[in-house]
Amino acid sequence: MKLHKKDNFSRRNFLKTSALASGGMLIGFNLLTACKPEAKMPVDIASLNFNDFNAFIKISDEGYVTIFSPNPEIGQGVKTSMPMIIAEELDVDWDKVNVAQGILDTKNYTRQVAGGSQSIRQGWDALRQTGATAKQMLVNAAAAKWQVDASSLKASKGIITNTSGEKLTYGDVVKEAALLEVPENVVLKDPKDFTIIGQEIVNVDIDKIITGKPLFGLDYKAENMMIAAVLRPPAFGQKLVSFDDSKAKNVSGVKEIIKFEDKIAVLASSTWAAMKGKKAINANWKTDSKAESTEEHDKLLTKILDGKGLDVRREDGNVKKAFSAADKVVEKTYHSPFLPHNCLEPMNFYANVTPEKVHLVGPIQTPQWTVNRVSKLLNRKEEDILCEMTRMGGGFGRRLYGDFALEAAEISSLAKKPVKVVFSREDDMTAGTYRPAIKYRIKAALKDGKVTGYHLKEAAVNGNMYGLIPNFFPAGCIPNYKVESGNYKSNITTGAWRAPYTNFLAFAEQSFFDELASELNIDPIQLRLDLLQNVKNTTDKRIEYSGERMEETIKLVRTKSNWGNAKNGVYQGFSAYYSHNTHVAEVADIELVEGYPVVKKVTVAVDCGIVVNPTGARNQVEGGVLDGIGHAMYAGFSFKEGVPQSKNFDSYRLIRMNETPKVDVFFVDSNKSPTGLGEPGLPPAGGAVANAINTALSKRLYSQPFINEFEKSKILS
């Protein structure tokens, strides 16, 4: 048991910490619990008489508890797992829990953000404290009613029991509890006593999702709402000169056409009419800044790696001396393309700008930042802006930026009508915020059978290196270690893409370490384990990963994958990486089908601390692995004179259902506080597959997508 002192629990802090929005991918929750065991969940809970318990929790006289979820749900399952944490410490029956979404509320909630796989990690303690504190206040109210000591009472499944066997439900004492002072100390459960955390719980929205109930931004409708399709510059670096909208105005359903910035909005009564009207506009554009092409980017990034304008991110020992004294120096260069996000639900957002208020509704990962930007754009006070969040049909970083929400707000302000901006798939792919194109050059010194020097250089379009990456593996494992980065500034918009910064770096580094293992004639897994011995007891506070936890994770996947003992015709590849505070190791099994490498199975070991919801956790890991494999194998994206060369899935390759392997997920047993899972499964996947392909074909891959490497080398012909 763990006591939390009074200085952590003023009433204000209780309200703040129970919002739990102090992390990256933080999802809100609305916990509705029937506390009377004989009660059934009502069909319509809105008709119940709820009493405000605090800013987050409402409890009805009938015993139902509602806890409003402050953060956006992006599909990572936190809308399920975060309420589980509250319910655990509140001691209510999960079978009688309902979850719903709150609105943006900067007064009572903090950091309402979805991104970075930080929700559970950042919210763990505060969510538990929220549930435990609410439970203690209810117990204290019951104690006052019975005139007994609160320590003599027990609470379970929403029912408080005294030593005489008398019972009160939470609903019976909620009015009195709401008037009490916040307890000075609250007792958190010992993990061995958890009854909800660690259980297999299905997604709380699953019934609505599979039956098509309104949940997503595209589902949202409002009275007198117009649909807006926006014509944007066809190439990055272009500006609007003039346009003829006469044909667009003749399209049935088109109501109004508005120019704003270098864009043209077509407002119509339906999505089809708006998009048809947009296509009918004849616009003239001019190139205002440099129109860039992928071939040019490749040359510029190589020039950066060859030059001296790199920024040093970390330097240990004397790298130059290590290379001069080496028995052998190994150097390789790796390249990745731009990548779009391609969320299943294209970008969309609703805005209704009136003199009284600004009403925003839609799928957004950064509601508070978006409101702040809308406030500045429209010169309106933030307190006059109401932002409601819908569930998102995918985000992966694209919905961090909110450009679509700003478009909706500006169009509504100009049209003086409620408007919902809707992207087509072509809009989504050609007017995106892309993962930047990147090149890595890695150089290692080998001396007396050891890796004695390591030098990593990064060159990225618009920059990519994150401050913590130089402190990930192999930092601390190699005595002479240096990381540098540089960038080329482009007018192509780039930003976070699932597992930012590590999604390609993990492939480059883990492929490189397999090459080093080959040079040293040592098992690839053993090489990593040997290196980790150098950092297991480090006092270097810059190091972000744990040598001990990474070692345990690697050993688990080695056992579970039957590493080194695969049956004939199965070729294995290993990869391990730490990102977003979680340690992951993967082994890919491939087979050659008519000479082509096919990924049949991936075995994954994960140390994410306590697993709150095994069902959701496995889903996240499996999804990350498949995403990582699919993009590494097939996904390429290019520009020619600033124009995206893929506009839809007919020219942009994603992994297909018959190409998805079996994914076996194993979690390291742990009582440590949980960490993130939305992203860490992705980075090691490409490296594991690449290393398995090399085992099968003796072919090293240095660029993604791998399918292009196959075609260039003709190894499959």
Side-chain angles (χ1 to χ4, degrees):
M1 294 188 297
K2 186 177 180 181
L3 290 179
H4 287 265
K5 303 298 183 182
K6 181 179 181 181
D7 57 357
N8 291 330
F9 265 92
S10 66
R11 177 169 288 273
R12 178 62 177 171
N13 281 340
F14 173 57
L15 300 182
K16 278 288 187 181
T17 55
S18 53
L20 251 260
S22 56
M25 241 162 62
L26 197 51
I27 299 312
F29 55 89
N30 170 1
L31 180 63
L32 178 82
T33 309
C35 297
K36 295 181 179 178
E38 70 277 7
K40 293 182 179 180
M41 186 72 73
V43 175
D44 180 14
I45 63 172
S47 61
L48 297 180
N49 179 30
F50 282 91
N51 300 285
D52 288 345
F53 188 59
N54 58 45
F56 303 97
I57 300 175
K58 292 184 178 182
I59 301 179
S60 73
D61 293 342
E62 295 82 1
Y64 291 90
V65 181
T66 304
I67 303 176
F68 290 95
S69 164
N71 290 75
E73 169 58 61
I74 199 175
Q76 77 281 47
V78 190
K79 190 177 177 183
T80 302
S81 55
M82 291 181 79
M84 288 174 64
I85 299 170
I86 289 275
E88 181 69 70
E89 296 290 351
L90 188 58
D91 261 321
V92 292
D93 189 345
W94 181 256
D95 288 339
K96 299 185 176 76
V97 169
N98 182 60
V99 178
Q101 179 68 60
I103 64 171
L104 177 67
D105 180 357
T106 57
K107 292 182 179 179
N108 290 305
Y109 307 142
T110 60
R111 287 294 305 279
Q112 292 180 268
V113 175
S117 298
Q118 295 297 299
S119 301
I120 296 299
R121 174 177 176 261
Q122 295 286 348
W124 173 250
D125 287 335
L127 281 172
R128 295 181 69 194
Q129 292 166 16
T130 296
T133 302
K135 170 186 169 182
Q136 189 61 55
M137 294 171 74
L138 292 160
V139 169
N140 290 349
K145 182 172 285 192
W146 279 321
Q147 295 186 348
V148 298
D149 192 288
S151 63
S152 67
L153 305 182
K154 293 183 179 180
S156 177
K157 295 190 175 183
I159 299 173
I160 304 165
T161 307
N162 64 21
T163 55
S164 300
E166 296 176 287
K167 300 180 185 298
L168 288 171
T169 70
Y170 286 173
D172 294 330
V173 295
V174 62
K175 292 180 180 178
E176 294 85 349
L179 301 176
L180 298 179
E181 289 296 320
V182 176
E184 292 187 9
N185 302 300
V186 291
V187 178
L188 301 183
K189 287 184 176 181
D190 189 303
K192 67 179 178 58
D193 297 324
F194 288 162
T195 59
I196 295 176
I197 291 173
Q199 299 302 306
E200 305 278 358
I201 305 294
V202 298
N203 187 311
V204 295
D205 283 338
I206 192 63
D207 289 341
K208 292 181 179 179
I209 291 172
I210 63 178
T211 57
K213 297 293 192 303
L215 277 173
F216 301 93
L218 285 175
D219 296 325
Y220 186 80
K221 296 179 181 179
E223 188 175 358
N224 300 320
M225 181 183 79
M226 306 294 290
I227 300 295
V230 179
L231 181 64
R232 304 171 183 87
F236 286 90
Q238 287 190 336
K239 301 289 184 183
L240 179 64
V241 176
S242 61
F243 67 97
D244 178 0
D245 60 4
S246 56
K247 291 183 179 179
K249 289 179 178 177
N250 290 328
V251 172
S252 177
V254 171
K255 304 298 182 184
E256 190 173 355
I257 296 175
I258 296 174
K259 176 187 177 300
F260 67 109
E261 301 170 1
D262 284 291
K263 307 171 188 177
I264 304 164
V266 177
L267 276 63
S269 55
S270 69
T271 304
W272 172 249
M275 292 185 175
K276 188 176 180 182
K278 184 185 75 170
K279 290 181 179 180
I281 292 176
N282 182 17
N284 297 311
W285 311 87
K286 70 174 182 178
T287 300
D288 186 64
S289 59
K290 191 173 184 180
E292 302 168 15
S293 299
T294 294
E295 293 78 8
E296 180 184 22
H297 292 144
D298 188 70
K299 293 177 182 178
L300 289 168
L301 295 179
T302 299
K303 186 176 180 180
I304 291 171
L305 294 178
D306 291 339
K308 297 181 180 180
L310 296 168
D311 295 323
V312 176
R313 301 293 181 175
R314 176 170 172 147
E315 187 169 10
D316 301 340
N318 190 326
V319 172
K320 186 176 181 180
K321 185 176 179 180
F323 286 123
S324 65
D327 296 330
K328 186 169 185 178
V329 173
V330 180
E331 182 176 275
K332 302 295 179 182
T333 301
Y334 303 83
H335 172 73
S336 69
F338 289 95
L339 286 181
H341 292 82
N342 292 319
C343 306
L344 183 62
E345 177 191 22
M347 301 303 106
N348 65 92
F349 218 79
Y350 168 86
N352 186 16
V353 179
T354 66
E356 294 76 30
K357 70 173 183 177
V358 177
H359 186 197
L360 306 175
V361 185
I364 184 71
Q365 291 179 243
T366 52
Q368 185 174 347
W369 183 47
T370 299
V371 165
N372 177 263
R373 294 164 70 202
V374 169
S375 171
K376 293 177 180 177
L377 174 70
L378 303 180
N379 194 25
R380 297 289 294 267
K381 296 179 180 179
E382 287 191 36
E383 52 264 36
D384 293 337
I385 303 176
L386 169 65
C387 183
E388 297 184 65
M389 294 164 282
T390 63
R391 190 180 180 94
M392 289 177 252
F396 312 111
R398 177 63 182 93
R399 286 189 161 97
L400 289 169
Y401 300 100
D403 48 290
F404 41 89
L406 269 67
E407 286 183 347
E410 187 167 5
I411 295 167
S412 176
S413 177
L414 293 170
K416 295 179 170 42
K417 297 182 179 71
V419 168
K420 182 162 75 170
V421 167
V422 177
F423 281 42
S424 65
R425 176 58 60 195
E426 290 79 7
D427 293 332
D428 215 34
M429 198 172 288
T430 60
T433 298
Y434 308 92
R435 185 188 80 171
I438 305 170
K439 274 185 178 290
Y440 288 110
R441 183 172 294 165
I442 312 177
K443 184 177 179 181
L446 306 181
K447 178 72 172 177
D448 298 330
K450 304 289 185 181
V451 183
T452 57
Y454 188 89
H455 190 184
L456 169 68
K457 293 181 180 180
E458 177 199 74
V461 175
N462 293 329
N464 178 65
M465 181 61 74
Y466 181 56
L468 298 181
I469 301 300
N471 301 316
F472 289 4
F473 179 85
C477 294
I478 301 170
N480 304 292
Y481 173 82
K482 187 175 183 178
V483 176
E484 296 181 281
S485 67
N487 69 86
Y488 163 71
K489 294 293 184 183
S490 170
N491 54 37
I492 295 172
T493 53
T494 60
W497 191 91
R498 190 174 187 177
Y501 322 111
T502 62
N503 48 55
F504 178 70
L505 175 59
F507 153 72
E509 287 195 312
Q510 290 298 302
S511 296
F512 186 73
F513 274 102
D514 257 40
E515 291 212 52
L516 297 184
S518 179
E519 292 286 350
L520 295 170
N521 194 28
I522 185 174
D523 175 78
I525 288 183
Q526 192 59 50
L527 173 62
R528 272 76 158 194
L529 293 175
D530 290 346
L531 288 169
L532 286 170
Q533 303 313 305
N534 299 325
V535 77
K536 283 176 65 176
N537 297 308
T538 183
T539 58
D540 186 345
K541 294 183 179 179
R542 295 173 298 171
I543 301 296
E544 290 296 313
Y545 66 100
S546 164
E548 293 86 350
R549 296 178 75 171
M550 181 61 84
E551 179 181 18
E552 187 175 5
T553 305
I554 290 173
K555 288 181 176 179
L556 177 61
V557 84
R558 182 173 63 181
T559 300
K560 295 297 185 180
S561 67
N562 199 28
W563 174 259
N565 296 296
K567 66 180 182 181
N568 289 338
V570 175
Y571 305 91
Q572 293 187 310
F574 169 80
S575 178
Y577 211 72
Y578 164 90
S579 66
H580 300 84
N581 309 105
T582 295
H583 301 79
V584 180
E586 301 179 10
V587 171
D589 290 2
I590 71 166
E591 297 177 15
L592 297 179
V593 179
E594 297 181 354
Y596 192 87
V598 176
V599 185
K600 291 293 187 177
K601 184 175 77 169
V602 180
T603 306
V604 189
V606 181
D607 184 349
C608 60
I610 293 171
V611 179
V612 175
N613 180 6
T615 298
R618 281 194 301 273
N619 289 342
Q620 289 303 298
V621 175
E622 291 169 2
V625 169
L626 297 180
D627 205 5
I629 292 173
H631 283 89
M633 287 285 289
Y634 307 113
F637 197 82
S638 62
F639 293 86
K640 186 174 182 179
E641 296 183 351
V643 179
Q645 295 302 286
S646 297
K647 297 183 178 180
N648 211 316
F649 295 131
D650 59 338
S651 56
Y652 182 78
R653 179 81 153 84
L654 291 174
I655 193 170
R656 294 164 184 161
M657 290 187 70
N658 66 340
E659 296 165 338
T660 59
K662 179 183 180 184
V663 181
D664 289 338
V665 182
F666 301 92
F667 294 100
V668 173
D669 289 335
S670 175
N671 279 329
K672 296 183 182 296
S673 296
T675 55
L677 278 177
E679 293 161 299
L682 185 149
V689 171
N691 290 332
I693 289 172
N694 180 70
T695 303
L697 300 172
S698 298
K699 168 63 179 176
R700 282 288 171 198
L701 302 172
Y702 298 100
S703 297
Q704 294 183 2
F706 299 158
I707 193 171
N708 289 353
E709 290 273 271
F710 297 152
E711 292 173 355
K712 288 177 184 177
S713 63
K714 306 294 183 184
I715 62 171
L716 300 180
S717 60

